[in-house]
């Protein structure tokens, strides 16, 4: 019992400890960790009031739906008092005294520029839902998070609108501060990509008076551009449109495009301001509809009416939604960190340190930043995702101010560009737009400047023929009249424009009527704004296009060479040799001899016309072959192989003779007009003098590009002077543009011609200032005029009937016909002849194969060849031609009572014939009577016996002793 009493205190102590432990566990489950978050806003502005209300509602809604979360954001609110220094001071106070872990704000980009540095120093994320200036991204701050869209995100949507309507010039109107200046570089680059120029940039101070605004608007009215892009916020934006409406700048013909700074707050503007903005286009971020958003709007409106019952203009806009989503995202990021050390590390400071040096460093700052950057959810404004430390860009909506508010006319998305419906990939145009002045038609975007009555059109003054531009002055009235082909084309083009453009021609001349300069000087006057345009025979050149714009060309162009022509018809005694080149002559002659030889070989054994004495047979070869030239051969062809060769050869001869006749006829009858010079390098090498037109770019082209010596260039001002220079031999050639060459050759086509190569240029065009909106419309009408019948009328009126003259050519082709044109025919004839020749020899050797095989083996190859040649020299008695003649001879013998058919040959008839009987070309040893034939016509000797006789005769000749005379 006593032991139990002694252990009782220990038992009670253990129970008490367990009770305390369970009590602490229960209490820990019901407690939350407060995390201080700073809010720096302009509390005197509607943006600040709306932002703070949305942040508070976001945290209330978030923790109401997530009551089990362990962390709670505690707001420490500071008023920046719409001042940059006030915002920096508020942020510094929050970091030093409250040690906040994040700061939501400040409201403006200028304030954020200062606060960002403090966040980097303290490792505290600075989260802004309204600082939209792109210049903040250039700071490359690690701890700055933009929970809103960058102003540059809307630039592609604005560019798409400008491109869709084809406007070539715009005017930028922006507020003169960080917000207004930040987007200008992005707009400039984007518009340049679609060849749209920013003709003027109007910068208005945020505190400008109404008189200063009117002064700037009046300046804009005097300009030609009527497309204005406005980038500013309240209250400056509404004041601008109120004044613009008062002076008539919201009438038909004007185009106004708003950035999201004003488009987002259209619903909050006064009705009188909306009436002044009728027809305005605007872009703003698209906010998808959702049940959560509709519920929030109802609750928002209820709270605002409770707080501000007398003010109905306080409307919720996109910045309030971004503030709500930013607070929700920060709460999620803090919760993901869990229970951690939310404290600051104090810095070691000295007595002389400043307040900035006393700012501590957040221990959880880097982790909180990474948690925030990885947070994703579906917020009231859409998908919340931080990409590259700023809110990910989504779709933009295009709205049109009509009636009492705005009406959506389309969307722009990064994936599909401008579309009428958001989830459509169709590239349809925007919906119906009502433009300023309640005009349904799209404004062209520019007008003639109201500060000038007429366009001043500069025209060149020359001393030439005046076919392109001619300036004449009436001495009595001192009135100037400008006419010419270029003037007629320009007048027709301007008359075809869908709007009236008053203009007048101003000659580019000195007071005494002389030219005031060359064409480069005239075109440069447009760049100096002394002329509004230049009309004339002005060539489009690359160096000129650097400071002026050209329309499309209305004539072709290029630089070529003019040279005299001479008649080079052949008038000498040997002209008949000129139609064919020497190689074709030689080849033809060789083939004549070759074909004659082939025909002789094919016909010698079967055709008596190709037999006889040696000289007779040689003559027959040449006679037969050359007589085919005029188809006068009288020898009969009996061999099929020979007929095959002759048919092909006669076809070749026919082609040759016809071509020869045509070429010779052309040489003797057709006028041969050939240029005296065809090679430009020859002119440069010989240092010949050449001509070029006065005040033309051709002079510079010949010196710089063609490397002509300037001392060898002779200038002329008219076609008559050029003809005189050629006639007197002062120049060997002239260089000019194609239109002038046609004009010159139309008058002197019998004396001169143009030869190439032609150096290509773009032609004659009209000159306008750089970026002029007239260029596109005038170029379009130039195409319509040049493609129609008017152009032919102008050419006939100023140049007359187009003459016929030699075409531009780079070289003069030869009149003679070469072997290249006929080598195919000769190849066919040669192959046919060789085939026939080989077939004939093969057949002969095959028929005499027994005799050749049974020949005595000691006989040499050369003796065998000679024996075969001797055998070939004999008639082929089996040929039908000889059989027919023998039958006729037998009939004659029978008529005389003689017949040998019943008697064998006498022994004397088998004597070996002498050499004279086996000559290669002759048959001198054969008697005219049939009695002396060793083998009678009706008793043919076998080929083997005959071959033995011929070989024995050859051996007898070699062994016979020489005769000593």
């Amino acid at each position: 019992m006593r032991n139990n009493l002694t252990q009782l205190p220990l038992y009670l102590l253990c129970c008490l400890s367990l009770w305390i432990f369970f009590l602490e566990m229960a209490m820990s489950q019901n407690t939350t960790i407060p995390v201080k978050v700073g809010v720096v806003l302009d509390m005197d502005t509607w943006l600040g009031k709306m932002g703070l209300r949305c942040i508070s509602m976001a945290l209330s809604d978030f923790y109401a739906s997530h009551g089990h979360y362990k962390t709670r954001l505690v707001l420490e609110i500071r008023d920046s008092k719409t001042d940059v220094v006030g915002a920096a001071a508020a942020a510094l106070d929050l970091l030093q005294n409250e040690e906040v872990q994040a700061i939501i704000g400040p409201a403006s980009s200028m304030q954020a520029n200062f606060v960002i540095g403090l966040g980097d120093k303290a490792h505290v994320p600075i989260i802004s839902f309204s600082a939209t200036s792109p210049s903040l991204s250039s700071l490359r701050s690690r701890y700055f998070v933009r929970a809103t869209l960058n102003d540059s995100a809307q630039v592609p949507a604005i560019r798409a609108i400008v491109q869709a309507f084809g406007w070539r010039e715009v005017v930028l109107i922006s507020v003169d501060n960080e917000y207004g200046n930040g987007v200008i570089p992005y707009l400039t680059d984007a518009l340049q990509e679609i060849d749209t120029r920013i003709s003027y940039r109007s910068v208005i101070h945020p505190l400008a008076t109404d008189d200063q605004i009117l002064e700037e608007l009046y300046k804009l009215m005097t300009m030609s551009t009527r497309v204005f892009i406005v980038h500013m916020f309240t209250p400056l934006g509404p004041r601008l449109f109120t004044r613009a409406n008062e002076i008539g700048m919201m009438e038909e013909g004007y185009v106004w495009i708003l950035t999201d700074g004003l488009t987002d707050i259209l619903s909050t503007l006064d009705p009188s301001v909306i009436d002044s903005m009728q027809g305005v286009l605007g872009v703003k971020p698209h906010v998808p509809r959702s049940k959560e958003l509709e519920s929030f709007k109802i609750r928002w409106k209820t709270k605002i009416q409770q707080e501000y019952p007398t003010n109905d203009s306080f409307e919720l806009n996109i910045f309030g939604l971004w503030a709500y989503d930013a607070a929700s995202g920060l709460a999620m990021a803090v919760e993901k960190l869990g229970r951690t050390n939310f404290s600051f590390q104090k810095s070691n400071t000295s007595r002389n340190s400043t307040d900035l040096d006393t700012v501590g460093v957040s221990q959880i700052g880097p982790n909180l930043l990474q948690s925030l950057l990885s947070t994703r959810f579906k917020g009231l404004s859409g998908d919340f995702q931080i990409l590259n430390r700023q809110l990910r860009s989504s779709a933009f909506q295009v709205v049109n101010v009509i009636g009492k508010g705005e009406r959506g006319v389309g969307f722009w998305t990064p994936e599909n560009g401008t579309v009428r419906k958001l989830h459509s990939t169709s590239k349809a145009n925007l919906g119906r737009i009502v433009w300023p002045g309640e005009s349904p038609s799209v404004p062209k975007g520019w007008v003639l400047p109201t500060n000038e009555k007429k366009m001043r059109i500069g025209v060149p003054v020359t001393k030439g023929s005046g076919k392109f531009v001619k300036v004449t002055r009436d001495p009595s009235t001192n009135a100037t009249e400008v006419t010419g082909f270029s003037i007629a084309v320009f007048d027709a083009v301007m008359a075809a424009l869908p709007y009236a453009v008053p203009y007048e021609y101003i000659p580019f001349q000195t007071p005494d009527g002389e030219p005031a300069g060359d064409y480069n000087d005239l075109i440069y006057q447009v760049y100096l704004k002394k002329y509004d345009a230049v009309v004339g025979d002005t060539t489009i050149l690359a160096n000129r296009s650097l400071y002026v714009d050209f329309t499309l060309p209305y004539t072709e162009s290029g630089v070529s060479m003019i040279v005299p022509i001479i008649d080079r018809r052949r008038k000498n005694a040997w002209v008949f040799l000129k139609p064919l080149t020497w190689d074709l002559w030689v080849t033809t002659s060789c083939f004549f001899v070759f074909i004659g030889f082939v025909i002789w070989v094919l016909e010698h054994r079967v055709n008596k016309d190709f037999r006889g004495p040696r000289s007779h047979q040689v003559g027959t070869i040449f006679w037969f072959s050359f007589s085919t030239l005029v188809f006068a051969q009288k020898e009969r062809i009996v061999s099929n192989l020979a007929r095959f060769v002759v048919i092909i050869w006669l076809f070749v001869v026919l082609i040759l003779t016809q071509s020869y006749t045509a070429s010779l006829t052309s040489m003797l009858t057709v006028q041969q007009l050939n240029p005296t010079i065809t090679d430009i390098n020859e002119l440069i090498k010989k240092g010949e003098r050449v001509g070029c037109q006065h005040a033309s770019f051709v002079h510079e082209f010949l010196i710089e590009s063609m490397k002509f010596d300037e001392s060898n260039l002779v200038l002329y001002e008219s076609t008559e002077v050029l003809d005189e220079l050629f006639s007197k031999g002062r120049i060997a050639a002239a260089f000019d543009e194609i239109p002038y060459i046609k004009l010159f050759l139309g008058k002197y086509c019998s004396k001169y011609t143009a030869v190439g190569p032609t150096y290509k240029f773009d032609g004659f065009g009209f000159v306008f200032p750089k970026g002029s909106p007239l260029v596109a419309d005038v170029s379009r009408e130039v195409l319509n005029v040049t493609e129609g019948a008017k152009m032919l009328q102008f050419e006939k009126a100023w140049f007359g009937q187009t003459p016929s003259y030699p075409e531009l050519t780079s070289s003069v082709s030869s009149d003679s016909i070469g072997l290249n044109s006929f080598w195919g025919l000769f190849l066919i004839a040669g192959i046919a002849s060789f085939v026939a020749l080989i077939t004939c020899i093969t057949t002969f050797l095959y028929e005499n194969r027994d005799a050749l095989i049974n020949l005595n083996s000691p006989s040499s190859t050369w003796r065998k060849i000679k024996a075969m040649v001797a055998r070939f020299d004999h008639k082929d008695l089996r040929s039908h031609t000889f059989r027919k003649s023998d039958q006729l001879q037998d009939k004659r013998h029978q008529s005389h009572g003689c017949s040998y058919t019943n008697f064998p040959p006498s022994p004397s008839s088998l004597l070996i014939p002498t050499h004279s009987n086996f000559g290669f070309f002759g048959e001198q040893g054969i008697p005219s009577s049939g009695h002396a034939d060793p083998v009678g016509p009706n008793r043919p000797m076998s080929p083997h016996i005959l071959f033995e006789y011929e070989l024995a005769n050859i051996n007898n000749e070699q062994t016979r002793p020489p005769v000593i005379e």
Side-chain angles (χ1 to χ4, degrees):
M1 183 69 182
R2 188 173 182 179
N3 293 333
N4 294 335
L5 292 175
T6 57
Q7 295 180 353
L8 180 62
L10 180 62
Y11 176 77
L12 293 176
L13 181 62
C14 291
C15 291
L16 179 63
S17 300
L18 290 174
W19 181 80
I20 294 173
F21 174 76
F22 286 114
L23 180 63
E24 289 180 350
M25 290 291 295
M27 291 180 61
S28 64
Q29 290 179 356
N30 295 326
T31 59
T32 58
I33 302 175
V35 179
K36 291 184 178 182
V37 174
V39 178
V40 179
L41 296 173
D42 299 328
M43 297 306 174
D44 293 335
T45 65
W46 170 241
L47 178 64
K49 296 175 181 179
M50 177 185 62
L52 181 59
R53 171 54 59 188
C54 290
I55 293 172
S56 299
M57 293 181 67
L59 296 181
S60 176
D61 295 343
F62 181 80
Y63 291 121
S65 59
H66 301 87
H68 60 284
Y69 280 7
K70 305 303 180 183
T71 58
R72 293 291 186 271
L73 297 187
V74 179
L75 299 181
E76 299 291 341
I77 303 171
R78 297 293 186 273
D79 185 5
S80 60
K81 304 183 185 307
T82 65
D83 182 62
V84 173
V85 177
L92 183 61
D93 176 57
L94 291 172
L95 294 174
Q96 282 183 328
N97 301 324
E98 302 296 341
E99 294 185 350
V100 294
Q101 300 299 326
I103 295 178
I104 300 178
S108 69
S109 299
M110 291 180 294
Q111 294 173 351
N113 202 358
F114 285 84
V115 176
I116 286 173
L118 296 176
D120 288 342
K121 182 176 180 60
H123 292 182
V124 172
I126 307 298
I127 308 167
S128 177
F129 60 87
S130 56
T132 59
S133 176
S135 61
L136 297 178
S137 300
S138 63
L139 300 178
R140 301 185 182 278
S141 171
R142 181 184 176 186
Y143 288 91
F144 175 63
V145 178
R146 196 198 308 263
T148 180
L149 291 183
N150 190 329
D151 278 339
S152 62
Q154 63 187 319
V155 169
I158 297 175
R159 177 185 61 185
I161 296 174
V162 175
Q163 186 178 20
F165 296 105
W167 296 316
R168 302 299 301 277
E169 283 190 357
V170 298
V171 172
L172 295 184
I173 305 177
S174 61
V175 62
D176 188 12
N177 58 17
E178 183 74 19
Y179 170 79
N181 298 331
V183 77
I184 299 302
Y186 298 89
L187 269 175
T188 303
D189 294 341
L191 294 175
Q192 284 180 351
E193 292 176 1
I194 58 173
D195 294 330
T196 298
R197 188 174 67 94
I198 298 178
S199 60
Y200 181 73
R201 182 189 169 194
S202 175
V203 181
I204 302 178
H205 193 274
L207 302 179
T209 63
D210 288 349
D211 291 339
Q212 292 173 333
I213 294 175
L214 284 174
E215 181 182 358
E216 189 66 22
L217 290 175
Y218 279 124
K219 183 188 300 183
L220 298 179
M221 288 184 66
T222 62
M223 300 178 182
S224 61
T225 306
R226 288 294 181 264
V227 181
F228 304 104
I229 299 177
V230 181
H231 182 60
M232 55 181 59
F233 44 67
T234 58
L236 183 60
R239 292 172 55 206
L240 174 74
F241 280 99
T242 302
R243 302 286 87 77
N245 186 47
E246 292 176 356
I247 64 176
M249 293 186 69
M250 299 302 297
E251 301 296 331
E252 183 177 358
Y254 286 87
V255 178
W256 295 87
I257 302 176
L258 305 179
T259 61
D260 60 354
L262 283 176
T263 309
D264 285 329
I265 62 172
L266 285 176
S267 59
T268 66
L269 297 180
D270 190 84
S272 61
V273 178
I274 295 296
D275 290 339
S276 301
M277 300 176 66
Q278 295 296 304
V280 172
L281 288 180
V283 295
K284 66 178 182 178
H286 171 64
V287 179
R289 293 182 179 180
S290 63
K291 293 181 180 180
E292 293 80 4
L293 177 61
E294 297 300 326
S295 175
F296 176 76
K297 286 182 177 180
I298 295 174
R299 292 188 292 112
W300 160 267
K301 191 172 184 179
T302 302
K303 289 182 176 296
I304 291 299
Q305 288 178 349
Q306 293 175 356
E307 294 183 13
Y308 306 98
T310 59
N311 198 329
D312 297 333
S313 62
F314 290 167
E315 294 288 341
L316 179 67
N317 57 40
I318 188 66
F319 290 107
L321 302 181
W322 282 333
Y324 185 98
D325 291 342
S328 301
L330 181 59
M332 290 183 185
V334 170
E335 181 62 28
K336 286 191 295 184
L337 296 179
R339 296 177 178 272
T340 185
N341 182 20
F342 293 98
S343 63
F344 268 58
Q345 179 182 355
K346 298 295 183 178
S347 60
N348 297 324
T349 58
S350 62
R351 181 178 300 178
N352 297 326
S353 61
T354 62
D355 288 343
L356 293 178
D357 295 331
T358 61
V359 176
V361 177
S362 172
Q363 299 300 301
I364 200 64
N367 295 333
L368 177 59
L369 176 65
Q370 295 302 321
S371 178
L372 179 61
L373 295 180
S374 62
T375 300
R376 297 182 183 182
F377 64 95
K378 188 173 181 61
L380 295 182
S381 62
D383 293 332
F384 183 91
Q385 179 183 357
I386 303 299
L387 186 65
N388 295 328
R389 287 181 169 77
Q390 59 187 8
L391 191 64
R392 181 177 178 270
S393 177
S394 58
F396 282 86
Q397 184 180 15
V398 183
V399 299
N400 185 203
V401 179
I402 302 174
K404 296 182 179 180
E406 61 187 57
R407 179 173 63 88
V409 294
F411 297 90
W412 180 91
T413 63
E415 297 80 13
N416 302 319
T418 304
V419 293
R420 183 170 296 183
K421 296 182 179 180
L422 182 60
H423 300 292
S424 172
T425 59
S426 174
K427 295 297 181 180
N429 294 327
L430 297 173
R432 187 178 66 88
I433 298 174
V434 178
W435 301 97
E438 298 183 357
S439 173
S441 58
V442 179
K444 63 179 182 291
W446 65 275
V447 294
L448 290 176
T450 58
N451 57 353
E452 296 184 11
K453 295 182 179 180
K454 293 183 178 180
M455 289 183 63
R456 294 169 54 86
I457 309 295
V459 294
V461 177
T462 61
K463 296 181 180 180
S465 60
K467 295 292 185 179
F468 291 96
V469 177
K470 184 177 182 181
V471 179
T472 57
R473 176 175 294 181
D474 189 350
S476 59
T477 62
N478 202 27
T480 302
E481 181 182 8
V482 182
T483 57
F485 174 75
S486 301
I487 302 300
V489 174
F490 184 76
D491 290 340
V493 168
M494 299 304 287
L497 291 176
Y499 44 85
V501 180
Y503 59 91
E504 60 180 346
Y505 294 113
I506 309 296
F508 185 55
Q509 60 184 5
T510 59
D512 56 355
E514 295 296 323
D518 58 14
Y519 283 84
N520 288 334
D521 298 329
L522 172 60
I523 294 174
Y524 195 66
Q525 304 305 308
V526 177
Y527 176 76
L528 298 177
K529 301 186 182 301
K530 294 183 178 180
Y531 293 140
D532 299 315
V534 167
V535 173
D537 47 347
T538 50
T539 305
I540 302 173
L541 298 177
N543 60 342
R544 294 174 176 175
S545 64
L546 296 177
Y547 49 91
V548 294
D549 280 345
F550 288 91
T551 64
L552 292 177
Y554 60 90
T555 63
E556 62 176 341
S557 186
V559 175
S560 192
M561 181 172 61
I562 308 172
V563 295
I565 53 177
I566 58 174
D567 185 6
R568 292 182 176 176
R569 283 184 292 183
R570 271 70 172 180
K571 299 179 181 179
N572 55 70
W574 301 99
V575 68
F576 66 89
L577 297 176
K578 297 299 182 181
L580 306 182
T581 58
W582 68 269
D583 54 346
L584 184 55
W585 277 117
V586 172
T587 304
T588 304
S589 301
C590 293
F591 258 85
F592 271 116
V593 177
F594 174 69
I595 295 298
F597 172 74
V598 171
I599 298 300
W600 177 85
V601 172
L602 298 176
E603 291 289 315
H604 177 65
R605 302 185 69 243
V606 298
N607 193 342
K608 64 180 181 179
D609 291 339
F610 289 86
R611 303 185 64 83
R614 183 177 306 173
S615 59
H616 173 74
Q617 295 185 53
V618 173
T620 300
I621 291 175
F622 285 95
W623 161 256
F624 178 83
S625 60
F626 283 98
S627 62
T628 58
L629 187 62
V630 292
F631 307 100
Q633 66 277 7
K634 64 183 183 60
E635 289 77 11
R636 187 168 60 93
I637 303 300
V638 298
S639 170
N640 288 331
L641 290 175
R643 289 171 180 173
F644 170 69
V645 174
V646 169
I647 289 173
I648 294 178
W649 176 245
L650 289 179
F651 176 74
V652 175
V653 171
L654 176 65
I655 300 298
L656 278 172
T657 54
Q658 294 296 326
S659 302
Y660 174 86
T661 303
S663 180
L664 182 61
T665 302
S666 175
M667 290 182 178
L668 296 177
T669 59
V670 179
Q671 189 180 25
Q672 302 292 317
L673 299 178
N674 295 330
T676 56
I677 297 175
T678 59
D679 189 4
I680 298 177
N681 294 324
E682 182 181 353
L683 290 173
I684 302 175
K685 184 182 298 184
K686 293 182 178 180
E688 298 282 358
R689 297 173 65 85
V690 297
C692 62
Q693 191 174 175
H694 176 72
S696 173
F697 77 94
V698 178
H699 181 270
E700 182 179 355
F701 170 74
L702 293 178
I703 297 175
E704 296 183 358
S705 299
M706 302 303 297
K707 307 303 179 183
F708 275 91
D709 191 346
E710 187 174 4
S711 60
N712 292 329
L713 301 182
V714 180
L715 304 180
Y716 61 87
E717 294 183 344
S718 64
T719 56
E720 293 77 12
V721 175
L722 178 59
D723 177 57
E724 183 180 354
L725 292 175
F726 274 121
S727 301
K728 293 182 178 180
R730 295 183 56 190
I731 59 175
F735 289 87
D736 215 332
E737 297 180 75
I738 300 300
Y740 301 115
I741 291 177
K742 289 186 175 181
L743 187 63
F744 178 75
L745 295 182
K747 190 174 183 180
Y748 303 103
C749 62
S750 61
K751 300 170 61 177
Y752 308 98
T753 188
V755 296
T758 300
Y759 300 94
K760 187 65 177 177
F761 290 92
D762 283 340
F764 293 164
F766 304 126
V767 182
F768 287 92
K770 199 75 174 176
S772 172
L774 271 174
V775 173
D777 293 340
V778 173
S779 296
R780 191 177 300 109
E781 296 304 328
V782 164
L783 292 178
N784 294 331
V785 171
T786 54
E787 293 174 358
K790 286 186 178 180
M791 200 66 175
L792 297 177
Q793 297 176 3
F794 295 151
E795 291 178 351
K796 187 175 182 180
W798 288 100
F799 305 128
Q801 190 66 28
T802 303
S804 59
Y805 54 88
E807 293 291 336
L808 300 182
T809 178
S810 59
S811 62
V812 180
S813 60
S814 174
D815 296 328
S816 301
I817 302 174
L819 181 61
N820 292 334
S821 303
F822 294 98
W823 69 268
L825 289 175
F826 287 121
L827 179 63
I828 295 173
I831 293 175
S833 301
F834 273 113
V835 170
L837 191 61
I838 293 173
T839 302
C840 176
I841 296 174
T842 304
T843 303
F844 171 75
L845 294 176
Y846 179 78
E847 292 175 350
N848 295 274
R849 64 187 184 282
D850 295 336
L852 188 61
I853 293 173
N854 297 326
L855 193 62
N856 294 331
S857 58
S859 302
S860 63
T861 302
W862 175 243
R863 292 176 58 195
K864 293 180 182 179
I865 293 176
K866 292 179 65 176
M868 294 303 294
V869 170
R871 178 69 184 94
F872 183 81
D873 188 50
H874 285 283
K875 295 179 181 179
D876 187 1
L877 299 179
R878 294 171 299 176
S879 173
H880 67 282
T881 55
F882 292 126
R883 287 201 300 269
K884 184 177 180 181
S885 61
D886 291 342
Q887 292 173 4
L888 292 177
Q889 187 175 2
D890 289 342
K891 290 181 181 180
R892 286 196 299 268
H893 289 318
Q894 292 174 3
S895 64
H896 289 84
C898 299
S899 177
Y900 297 94
T901 58
N902 298 326
F903 299 94
S906 62
S908 60
S909 64
L910 297 177
L911 296 176
I912 296 175
T914 61
H915 180 268
S916 60
N917 298 112
F918 288 88
F920 184 73
F921 289 102
E923 298 180 1
Q924 293 89 342
I926 300 177
S928 60
S929 173
H931 301 281
D933 198 341
V935 181
N938 293 323
R939 297 176 181 271
M941 184 181 294
S942 66
H944 174 69
I945 299 175
L946 182 58
F947 189 75
E948 291 290 345
Y949 283 151
E950 292 168 351
L951 187 59
N953 183 49
I954 294 174
N955 294 334
N956 185 46
E957 290 180 356
Q958 293 177 353
T959 57
R960 182 183 301 172
V963 179
I964 301 176
E965 298 182 356

